Amino acid sequence: VHKFDHFKELEGPNSLKERHITEDVPVLGCLFLSVARAVGVETPLYEALVRVASAINQTDYYAEGRTMENLGIGDLRGVRVRKYFEQGE
């Protein structure tokens, strides 16, 4: 589709140390995983991707990333997770 040709000119990511990995995995990816775990949804492929990125960059993204645990809401489970994100309670 030619209306998307300008995307071909964008640079990156050109390495596994660019922000697409070093920012997106610990911030978005790890929060996604912790929420999925808290509500009982298995995400083995996504978890594997976070582990692979961590191994490649020799950084434990889950331990250092944004998770429910390090946001102080790691005790929430199930319906309480949804209620927290919807109502802040």
Side-chain angles (χ1 to χ4, degrees):
V1 177
H2 292 290
K3 65 182 177 180
F4 297 115
D5 282 346
H6 61 280
F7 284 107
K8 295 176 185 176
E9 298 171 13
L10 295 175
E11 287 193 36
N14 295 319
S15 83
L16 293 173
K17 294 226 180 232
E18 286 195 17
R19 69 173 186 80
H20 302 88
I21 302 293
T22 63
E23 293 176 16
D24 293 354
V25 171
V27 176
L28 177 63
C30 294
L31 182 60
F32 172 84
L33 282 178
S34 68
V35 170
R37 290 174 180 169
V39 297
V41 174
E42 293 184 20
T43 56
L45 182 57
Y46 205 87
E47 187 166 340
L49 292 171
V50 171
R51 288 180 187 228
V52 168
S54 295
I56 289 171
N57 289 324
Q58 299 176 341
T59 302
D60 187 344
Y61 286 128
Y62 195 84
E64 295 180 11
R66 181 173 293 157
T67 63
M68 289 180 57
E69 293 79 17
N70 69 24
L71 291 172
I73 55 173
D75 60 323
L76 299 178
R77 293 289 178 266
V79 180
R80 289 181 61 212
V81 175
R82 188 191 80 222
K83 186 175 180 182
Y84 177 84
F85 285 110
E86 288 179 349
Q87 303 170 3
E89 300 175 8

